[in-house]
Amino acid sequence: MANIRNLKKDINFVLGDIIDAVYIWEALNPKEDTAKSEAIVDDAIATFDTLIAKVNDRKVESKSKQLKEVRVELEKEATSLVERINKL
C-alpha cells in the first residue's frame, strides 16, 4: 500500500509543480496571451484525473504491472507538459 500512496504523492507533486511553473510564467509575462498556458493547466488536471483513476482501479489482474505503467505514463505526460511550457 505504501507504493500506491507514494505513486499518488508523486502524481500530485509532479503535476502540481508543472501547474505552478505555468502560473509563474504567467506572472512573469503579464502581456502574453494566456490561452496556451491555460491549456497546459487544463491538460495537467486532466492527466491527474486520469492517472489517479488508473491507480484506484481495483479491477485489474496485475496491480504491480498497472502501477509501473502509470509511473511510465506520468513521466511521459510530465515531459510533454514541460516541453510545452518551455515553448511558451
Side-chain angles (χ1 to χ4, degrees):
M1 291 307 244
N3 193 19
I4 293 173
R5 182 175 53 236
N6 289 338
L7 179 56
K8 286 181 179 181
K9 285 181 181 180
D10 289 345
I11 292 169
N12 190 33
F13 290 143
V14 169
L15 295 174
D17 286 346
I18 289 171
I19 292 171
D20 286 343
V22 171
Y23 289 147
I24 290 170
W25 180 86
E26 287 178 351
L28 294 174
N29 300 291
K31 295 181 181 179
E32 296 288 330
D33 183 28
T34 60
K36 290 181 182 178
S37 61
E38 290 300 321
I40 294 171
V41 171
D42 292 341
D43 290 345
I45 293 169
T47 300
F48 175 84
D49 292 341
T50 302
L51 294 178
I52 292 295
K54 287 181 180 181
V55 170
N56 290 333
D57 186 12
R58 298 193 186 277
K59 298 179 182 177
V60 295
E61 292 181 22
S62 175
K63 191 69 169 176
S64 63
K65 181 180 177 185
Q66 180 198 21
L67 295 178
K68 288 178 186 177
E69 290 172 358
V70 168
R71 193 170 291 281
V72 169
E73 186 175 349
L74 170 62
E75 185 176 337
K76 183 185 81 164
E77 292 294 327
T79 302
S80 172
L81 291 169
V82 169
E83 287 173 358
R84 289 174 55 192
I85 292 171
N86 290 337
K87 289 180 182 178
L88 294 175

